[in-house]
Amino acid sequence: MAELGLKKKEIDAIEFAFDVYDFKGDGQVDAFYAGDLIRACNLNPTLKTINEVGGQPEKGKKSLSKAEVFPMYKACKDSKDQGGFHDFVEIMKLYDKNDDNTIIGNELFKLLTNLGEKLTKEEAKSLMKELCEPEDEDGFMPFIPFLEKMCAAEK
């Protein structure tokens, strides 16, 4: 797997996740579970990416060996088809109670500590302190400036 440029930690994670999804113990994983397996290795590929690299939308259509999963992981890791600023704005709008591009500070904290790649409470507090504008008297803060700072590397 060195030829793919994967680190030992990544290889170990893939091997562990593969063993978890090898339900029959025959060294094969149903390609339907490819996305779950890769997400278990701390990547967040889109369904489109999973299908492009060999995942299947239906069970029983294709089986994968462990050797086939490594290049799939690498392709997902290298994929640029991941969420960006505009995707995050749309997600935040789900929590925008006043329809004014604001979110309750505690709601943002819950999102950061419970969804996706979960942050620790300390990491979330530090991130919010650094990137968020102050809350108003009702506990709301604008989320656009927060997202702009978070996604600054994307631009």
Side-chain angles (χ1 to χ4, degrees), residues 106-121 124:
N106 287 339
E107 290 280 338
L108 178 59
F109 181 79
K110 287 180 195 174
L111 289 171
L112 293 172
T113 57
N114 291 303
L115 295 178
E117 292 183 27
K118 300 173 182 116
L119 300 179
T120 65
K121 290 180 180 181

Side-chain angles (χ1 to χ4, degrees), residues 124-138:
K125 286 177 186 174
S126 174
L127 187 68
M128 288 177 68
K129 183 178 180 183
E130 185 178 335
L131 301 180
C132 291
E133 294 186 5
E135 295 179 6
D136 65 16
E137 61 276 359
D138 296 323

